[in-house]
Structure formats: C-alpha cells, structure tokens
Amino acid sequence: MTDTGKTPYFLSERAQKLVRKRYAAERRFRFYGLAMIILALAFLAVLFYTIISQGISGFVVTNIRLPVTFTAEALGVEPGATAEDLKGVSGFKYTKLARRSLNDYLGIPKGDTEDERLSRGLLSNGVDVQLRKILVNDPTLLGSTVEVWLLAHGSVDPFVKGQISRDLPENRRLINDQQMAWLEKLEHDGRVDLRFNSNLFTEGASADPELAGVGVALLGSFFMMVLVVLLALPLGVGAALYLEEFAPKNRFTDLVEVNINNLAAVPSIVFGILGLAVFINYAHLPRSAPIVGGLVLTLMTLPTVIIATRAAIRAVPPSIKEAALGVGASKMQAVFHHVLPLAMPGILTGLIIGLAQAMGETAPLIMVGMVAAVFDFPGSPMDPATALPVQIYIWSGLPERGFVALTSAAIMILLAFLLTMNATAVILRKRFERRW
Amino acid sequence: MLKKTLIGLATIAAVGAAAPGAVYARDQIQIAGSSTVLPFATVVAEQFGKQTKHPAPVVESGGSSAGLKKFCEGVGPNYIDIADASRAIKDSEVKACHEAGVKGIIEVKFGYDGIVFASAVGHPNFKFTPKDIYLALAAEVPVNGKMVANPNKTWKDVNPAFPAQKITMYIPGEKHGTREVFEEKVLNTGCEEFDIIKKMDKDAQKKACMQIRKDGVAVDIDGDYTETLARIKSNPEGIGVFGLSFYEQNVDKIQVATVNGIKPNVETIGDGTYPVSRPLYFYVKKQHLGAIPGLKDYVTFFLSEDMIGDDGMLAEKGLIPAPEKQREQFRANWQAMKTID
C-alpha cells in the first residue's frame, strides 16, 4: 500500500466520465424495458376491465316470481296425468298458462287485447320450457298453485340491470310506459330478481339473449380438441422422430423441413378451404360437423407439434442415445426407450400451445360450415355443432342488447379455458423438465 | 415385422378409402345466407325444433352472396337446402346452379325490411331526400351542367337547409345484399332527378349513378350493423345505414332520419310510403324436398301466421309483415311449388 501520489487511470476524470456514461446507458435501457412491460400490462388491464365489466352481467338474468296455477283444464289433460302426458302438451299451452298468471297478477282482464299484447313483452319466449320442466319433474303439482321464477323478456333485462336508463323518453326505450309501470309494480312487490343464468352453460343458440348459451359450442370445441389430440400427437411426434432421428440428411429432407416451417405460418383460412375441398366435397363428411372442424384444426396444429417435438428431441443430450446404442440397443429402442420419454415434457408443452391456438380459431371453421346457429346438442362428432370463438363472433353481430353482455361473458369463458391450458403447459414444463 | 408393417399400411389405406365411401344421411335442414335474414331464420329454426318432431335446422350466416354460392354448389346431403337472401337471386347465380346440377329453385318471399339512415342521439337529425344522399356520396356530380368530381364537403354544400356538418357516411359493403338496395333505391333514384344524367347512354348513366366517391367520405362496412354502430359512437357526426330491426333494438343510442319526409316504421314500410324497403327471400332446393326430412314442413311453418303474420314472432324481431293478401299469395306460391328456372 504505497502511495505513489499519482492518480491511477481508472480514477481519472476521463475514465470516471466513461463509467458514468455506461451506467447511464444501462439505466436507460432498463427503464425502456420496464416501460414496455408496464405499457403491455396496462393494455391487458384495460382489456380485462372492459370484458369483465361488460361480461359479468351476462352471468345473471332477470327473473320474475309469479304464482302459477297448473290447471288440468288449461293444459288440456286429465286430472292426475302422468309425467309422460305432461311432456306431450304443446309449448303453446304452457306459454298461455304463464301469460295468464302474469295477467291475473297485474289485474289485466281476459280479452283486453292491447294490454294482453303488451304484457307478453315482459315474459321470455322460453317460459314454456321452464313450466313443463317443473311439472314433469313433479306431476302431483297439477291442480295446485306454485310460486315459480320465470325468465323475463330480453328487452326488460337491460333496464333491471341498469344498462339502459329508465329516464329516457318513451320513444327511445324498448319497453313503453305501461310495461315500465308493470315492471315497477313487480319490483315493488319483490318479485323481480337477478338470478344465476344457467342457460348460458346448458343451452345452444337462440334468438333471445335470455335463452342463448354456449353449451353446444363448448361440446363442439371439446369434440374438436379431442380429435386434434388423437390425431396431431401421434402424427406430429411420428413425423418429427423420423425427420430428426431416422431420415437421411439431404436436399429432400431440407425441403420438407422448410415446408413444415412455412406451413406453420400459413393463414388459417387456407386450411378451411382445404378442409372444404377434401373432407366435405371429396370425402363426403357432413357439413358443420366437429369431425371436419377437428380434422382442419389438426392440419393447422400439426406443424406446431412437429416443430416443438423436434426442438424437444434435439434438447436431449446425444450421450444418452449413444450410451444406449453402446450397450447394444437398436436405434429404435434407443429412441423410444430413452430419447422420447425425456423429450415428452417439451412435446406436451408444444401440443398444449398448439391446442390453445386451435381452440381460439374461427376462420377455418367458416368454410366448413361451423359458423352457424346450432340449437340441438350434438350426440357425436358427426352431428352439427359450433365452437366457442364462433359463438362469440356470432353474438357480437346480433342487435339485441342482451347479446353485448353475453359476448363478453363467452369471452371470459374462453379466456378461462385458454389460461387453464397455458397454465398446464407451464406446470408440465416446471415439474418434468430436466436440465443437463 | 413384415406382418406388422402390412397391418399398419392396411390401416392407413382403410382410413383413406373408407371416408369417401361413407355417404351419410342427414336429419336436420341446413340453411346459409344473409345476415339480415339471420335473426328471422334463427327464430323460425328455434321454434321449428321446439314445436315439431324434427330437429332444429342449422343456420349459417355470412351474407346473401356467400349463401347463394354455397346453395349452387351441388345436390346431395353435403350441400345446403335453403339460401337466405336480402335480394333476389341473379341470373348468373341461377346459371351457376344449373352448371352444378341444381335444378328447380323455389323462391319464397316472406316479408319486408326497411333501410334507415341513423345518427347518434343528441346530434342534428336529418330530413333526407334520395337526391341529398346522391349528392353527398357520388364520385361525380353535376355542377352547372357538367359532371365534376364531387366537391361537397359538408351537408350544407349538399342542401342549404342542412347544418354545416362534415359528411361521413357508413354504408354497407359490397358483400351485403343491402348495398344493392341502397344503390338502386337511393343513389339511382337520387341521380335520376338530373336531366344531364338522364340524357346519357345506359352505361354512362349507371357509372354516374352508382360510383361512390373514394376520398374517405363514404366508408364501406363489411361487418355487421354492430360495427356501423361502433363507428358512429366514435364519430358522432357520421351517419350510418341500418336495418329497421337493428335500429329498433338500439333506439336509446341512435335516431332515424326521414326520407322524403316519411319516418320509417312498420306502417310506412308496410304500405310502401317509405321509399327504401326491400322484400326478403329464401330459396329452396326442390331436389332436396323428398330427401331431407322436414324441409317441406319447415317452409310451411315459416310461412304460417304464427311466424310472418301481423302479430307473429318475426314481427317482434323487426320483420315488416307483408299485407295479408300478399301473405296468402306467398303461401299459395309455396303450395304450387313453382320453380323460377
């Protein structure tokens, strides 16, 4: 520690200035990075806020509680009719019964046509299904009076939820002054309430927002995802294994590799056109069916799976394969017993990401007829169905106000599925991934 | 080893060969077409499924032209049975149908729809004539007896009675059947009021009437009316073209303009005094009538008073019911099964 009296270079003014400059550059870079991330998060927050604030009201729906008297006479059956008889009664009679109950409650006499026509606008078109279900479940109710929660009409719902102001003048409202007065009377008597919208999960398409649901779309998406897993996993992994481990490296395999990478970037609508030409027009598979949608999505997912699998296989150290070969395993044994199991977490991650992408796809489904209003549940992948993102797309274009909330609610359901799938991919990677 | 390889190859071959051979039978009706007709077709399909023994039909949307194209692709269970359209079928489309072996197209008219001009609530409301719209939107307009590139920037330039509000109009894109009605009933009617255009030969007249300016004043909307509504929300000075049913569901947000002094509503469109309305159609494949169960019942159900009548379910969704005489005519035409080709 001798002091020479001379300042070393690294303490000189010039060196200090350079150091400060380098630190400043680093600080600036860190700031830019952080700002980018905050900006991205802010956009995400706005997106989530708009979707959730609009969508949350789609999970509840306005119901009106009414005393309904199930008279055998009104339903046109014998007293003591069985559940089977009651099932066969036409929906029109149940609807009439519900309307009569409302009119009796509001004091609207029979035959007063204008008021009767107006009061119809308070009850949903689906009340017949509700009443039939109640009576079929318990036929002994025939002849007695029961308090029943009935769905309100879709044009009443936005007023109860406060989405449209009640102070608007009559000509700018969906329901007129008389209907509003009835609604307020029912509310005053505690007969109007927002209840859980179970139709959202159990029903298919409908022209009325209070009766529409994503049930058919969920089942259709499920069928397609199962098909994609069953086909894309073996085909994709097989192709990747062959290309990576067995195929000779020459111009032809280079060409194949370039084409696979290109396919991964082809717009999805192109796969839809292919699906229409091959699966429907040539193979005569049914239109609008999940089997065709699933096949099209498989084609779309295959390149993703192949690329992910090849990367996962390449990440397995060659020493493992060489050791297996060294103790006398055949090439196939080495690959299937040692390389593939070690590459599996990476392959599954790729598959799940491919699936999540396929699940959110609508464009290829337009061509194969799955962008459609489907009312009945599909019994098999050969029956018509639709898909979750398609349901969102269709609802977003419908005029009724109730569909605005339903659109956002369906987006929330889709996001929940996608988040679950991506989280599964992360967990798989975290738990099973091995580092060498 | 060889045996296993053979089994593997046989499986692949079987999957490839079995698919084309398996022609399946279809239970439910398949419909595609106009997004204007979609809400009505949805109501009928839903009720048909609920009230009859047949399964509910599947209704694809996508526009009149797309629907008619699918309709004319062929005959058999893989092809649709009904095309919804907000305009009449064109000769070229009938020709395409014939080339694909589709013979016997039955045209069914079922009601009317009005086209309205609407602006955001709280902004000036307009009293248009077709001439005003023509002068606002055409690529070239007559000024002092000569055709010049459209100089009009504000509504005041078009008609001194209007406020000095910048012209922006959101009109349906080319793929919508509504566009054709808009051109024919508004632009064409408007331009025929000028003698200079009347004197032109047919092609030049068509060009002068139908060509829309490309300087950003007229915006084509290829999406649904919800997109038009969103555009008006972000630019409240804009004026949008909507279907009457869409307007009725959104009366709290938009107000309609009168055309020739007539306010559009069920009465004025029903009796024809409001000038911008059009009939709605669907087209049925006669060759499918026996093959697809319930197809005949569906059309009969569609044309029943419970659906298209004055108090029917479609009126509630915004359909303008045809007068009673006409409705009877629609049903008689269907019973007669007269084809248009």
Side-chain angles (χ1 to χ4, degrees):
Chain A
M1 291 295 269
T2 48
D3 188 4
T4 57
K6 199 180 159 212
T7 329
Y9 171 74
F10 67 89
L11 286 178
S12 74
E13 190 57 32
R14 207 170 131 237
Q16 291 281 318
K17 215 171 146 189
L18 268 177
V19 168
R20 274 200 302 276
K21 215 171 140 190
R22 290 212 309 262
Y23 279 154
E26 189 174 327
R27 269 199 306 277
R28 273 202 306 278
F29 181 74
R30 280 188 190 191
F31 171 75
Y32 294 148
L34 197 66
M36 285 302 172
I37 287 174
I38 289 174
L39 193 69
L41 283 180
F43 278 122
L44 198 67
V46 171
L47 176 78
F48 274 107
Y49 174 75
T50 33
I51 289 172
I52 291 174
S53 63
Q54 277 185 11
I56 206 90
S57 68
F59 289 94
V60 287
V61 64
T62 306
N63 279 253
I64 300 174
R65 187 165 52 92
L66 286 173
V68 177
T69 309
F70 294 104
T71 55
E73 190 198 349
L75 293 173
V77 292
E78 299 295 315
T82 62
E84 206 52 42
D85 297 336
L86 294 166
K87 219 181 226 168
V89 175
S90 91
F92 191 61
K93 286 192 172 131
Y94 284 107
T95 308
K96 252 189 162 165
L97 194 66
R99 286 179 181 160
R100 195 63 250 154
S101 311
L102 177 70
N103 289 345
D104 286 346
Y105 187 81
L106 295 173
I108 300 167
K110 247 185 195 155
D112 185 4
T113 49
E114 182 56 20
D115 273 0
E116 271 191 332
R117 203 180 61 79
L118 284 175
S119 74
R120 264 191 241 166
L122 294 182
L123 284 180
S124 163
N125 287 323
V127 288
D128 52 341
V129 179
Q130 284 184 299
L131 286 183
R132 182 187 284 140
K133 205 170 147 198
I134 292 168
L135 207 52
V136 168
N137 279 346
D138 186 1
T140 58
L141 290 177
L142 195 64
S144 56
T145 303
V146 195
E147 290 279 335
V148 181
W149 283 104
L150 291 173
L151 279 171
H153 194 274
S155 55
V156 172
D157 194 57
F159 290 97
V160 175
K161 286 176 178 165
Q163 288 160 339
I164 303 180
S165 164
R166 298 182 189 205
D167 304 331
L168 288 170
E170 189 176 17
N171 60 0
R172 281 179 47 206
R173 266 196 261 116
L174 281 169
I175 58 179
N176 70 9
D177 286 345
Q178 175 67 70
Q179 289 169 317
M180 188 62 94
W182 284 330
L183 177 65
E184 275 165 2
K185 174 178 159 57
L186 287 164
E187 279 179 324
H188 180 260
D189 297 350
R191 290 188 170 270
V192 178
D193 196 13
L194 292 172
R195 288 161 66 93
F196 179 67
N197 184 4
S198 59
N199 282 345
L200 179 61
F201 295 93
T202 57
E203 292 298 317
S206 173
D208 301 308
E210 73 275 14
L211 302 176
V214 294
V216 170
L218 273 180
L219 196 56
S221 278
F222 172 75
F223 279 142
M224 290 197 288
M225 291 306 111
V226 169
L227 217 65
V228 172
V229 172
L230 287 183
L231 291 173
L233 190 63
L235 287 179
V237 171
L241 273 181
Y242 177 75
L243 279 176
E244 199 60 35
E245 298 286 348
F246 297 95
K249 298 271 174 282
N250 57 26
R251 284 207 137 158
F252 178 68
T253 46
D254 282 349
L255 191 73
V256 170
E257 187 168 344
V258 169
N259 274 307
I260 288 173
N261 289 336
N262 270 340
L263 266 186
V266 164
S268 52
I269 184 89
V270 176
F271 290 102
I273 294 169
L274 180 80
L276 176 68
V278 175
F279 300 126
I280 295 183
N281 289 349
Y282 170 70
H284 294 297
L285 287 169
R287 264 189 95 76
S288 311
I291 184 161
V292 179
L295 287 169
V296 168
L297 293 180
T298 302
L299 292 179
M300 211 190 81
T301 317
L302 260 181
T304 316
V305 175
I306 295 177
I307 292 168
T309 306
R310 294 187 68 176
I313 291 171
R314 247 178 269 151
V316 177
S319 55
I320 291 175
K321 194 173 79 185
E322 279 155 17
L325 292 174
V327 293
S330 74
K331 197 158 184 191
M332 201 162 151
Q333 282 174 324
V335 168
F336 279 91
H337 295 176
H338 301 281
V339 177
L340 192 59
L342 289 172
M344 221 50 200
I347 296 172
L348 289 182
T349 311
L351 178 73
I352 290 171
I353 289 169
L355 273 185
Q357 198 188 345
M359 176 129 185
E361 201 56 72
T362 42
L365 302 180
I366 296 175
M367 303 306 298
V368 298
M370 287 190 78
V371 178
V374 183
F375 304 91
D376 298 335
F377 273 84
S380 77
M382 301 290 276
D383 295 333
T386 179
L388 201 44
V390 168
Q391 196 67 68
I392 295 170
Y393 167 67
I394 294 178
W395 281 350
S396 73
L398 293 177
E400 283 83 4
R401 189 58 56 83
F403 283 113
V404 176
L406 282 189
T407 307
S408 292
I411 293 175
M412 285 164 72
I413 297 172
L414 180 66
L415 280 179
F417 274 98
L418 294 181
L419 282 177
T420 320
M421 286 165 89
N422 286 329
T424 318
V426 171
I427 291 168
L428 274 179
R429 206 164 49 214
K430 278 256 150 29
R431 276 189 70 114
F432 297 107
E433 192 177 46
R434 294 196 33 192
R435 292 184 181 280
W436 286 283
Chain B
M1 188 66 212
L2 181 70
K3 206 172 151 195
K4 278 191 181 161
T5 315
L6 280 178
I7 291 174
L9 285 177
T11 321
I12 294 170
V15 169
V23 172
Y24 76 108
R26 177 150 59 81
D27 298 328
Q28 81 289 335
I29 301 162
Q30 292 246 346
I31 303 166
S34 164
S35 42
T36 309
V37 181
L38 181 76
F40 307 129
T42 315
V43 172
V44 180
E46 188 177 0
Q47 294 304 320
F48 185 68
K50 255 165 81 173
Q51 296 185 16
T52 68
K53 286 189 284 296
H54 301 290
V58 172
V59 191
E60 290 177 41
S61 73
S64 302
S65 306
L68 284 165
K69 190 166 170 245
K70 278 181 198 156
F71 183 78
C72 289
E73 270 170 2
V75 180
N78 286 102
Y79 302 98
I80 62 168
D81 312 309
I82 293 179
D84 293 333
S86 55
R87 58 168 172 81
I89 193 169
K90 291 178 194 159
D91 289 343
S92 59
E93 285 161 340
V94 174
K95 215 176 136 218
C97 264
H98 285 176
E99 276 164 14
V102 180
K103 290 200 182 74
I105 305 164
I106 306 171
E107 182 179 86
V108 182
K109 228 195 230 186
F110 65 90
Y112 292 87
D113 175 40
I115 294 172
V116 305
F117 300 94
S119 54
V121 162
H123 287 264
N125 207 348
F126 286 86
K127 292 182 166 56
F128 286 127
T129 62
K131 191 176 147 195
D132 297 330
I133 307 273
Y134 167 72
L135 285 176
L137 295 186
E140 288 186 343
V141 291
V143 175
N144 301 328
K146 263 196 291 187
M147 295 298 284
V148 296
N150 196 335
N152 301 324
K153 292 208 163 51
T154 69
W155 286 107
K156 210 180 168 69
D157 299 339
V158 169
N159 184 338
F162 290 155
Q165 180 179 326
K166 201 171 158 257
I167 305 172
T168 312
M169 275 197 85
Y170 300 105
I171 58 175
E174 306 271 355
K175 76 165 201 177
H176 291 289
T178 315
R179 173 62 168 263
E180 227 159 276
V181 183
F182 176 72
E183 285 175 352
E184 187 192 321
K185 297 254 164 116
V186 183
L187 294 180
N188 215 5
T189 317
C191 85
E192 275 177 355
E193 291 189 23
F194 293 94
D195 288 333
I196 168 175
I197 294 173
K198 266 195 191 155
K199 280 186 215 137
M200 295 177 178
D201 64 77
K202 256 206 160 145
D203 283 345
Q205 201 176 351
K206 198 177 165 202
K207 192 173 158 238
C209 290
M210 305 287 193
Q211 268 207 351
I212 286 180
R213 61 202 290 190
K214 297 243 186 305
D215 51 0
V217 168
V219 183
D220 275 18
I221 303 287
D222 279 328
D224 297 305
Y225 292 134
T226 37
E227 189 188 339
T228 314
L229 184 66
R231 295 288 191 107
I232 287 183
K233 218 170 151 190
S234 63
N235 173 17
E237 292 206 324
I239 289 166
V241 176
F242 294 96
L244 183 77
S245 52
F246 188 90
Y247 157 70
E248 283 183 337
Q249 290 288 338
N250 290 282
V251 276
D252 57 316
K253 289 185 176 161
I254 47 180
Q255 56 189 359
V256 284
T258 60
V259 176
N260 291 343
I262 313 250
K263 199 171 160 46
N265 58 36
V266 174
E267 286 79 36
T268 57
I269 295 172
D271 63 18
T273 48
Y274 181 78
V276 201
S277 69
R278 46 135 174 227
L280 298 175
Y281 304 87
F282 58 88
Y283 292 89
V284 187
K285 234 176 244 179
K286 198 173 185 181
Q287 285 148 306
H288 281 192
L289 279 178
I292 306 293
L295 183 54
K296 207 171 165 181
D297 293 348
Y298 171 78
V299 180
T300 312
F301 185 80
F302 203 130
L303 293 178
S304 67
E305 282 294 293
D306 284 346
M307 292 295 138
I308 63 166
D310 287 327
D311 241 354
M313 294 189 82
L314 298 188
E316 196 192 309
K317 287 278 169 195
L319 179 79
I320 316 288
E324 203 179 338
K325 276 255 169 61
Q326 272 193 35
R327 296 201 297 267
E328 274 159 24
Q329 189 60 45
F330 296 163
R331 285 188 278 267
N333 286 350
W334 167 243
Q335 289 307 326
M337 299 263 164
K338 219 176 82 192
T339 59
I340 56 163
D341 49 336

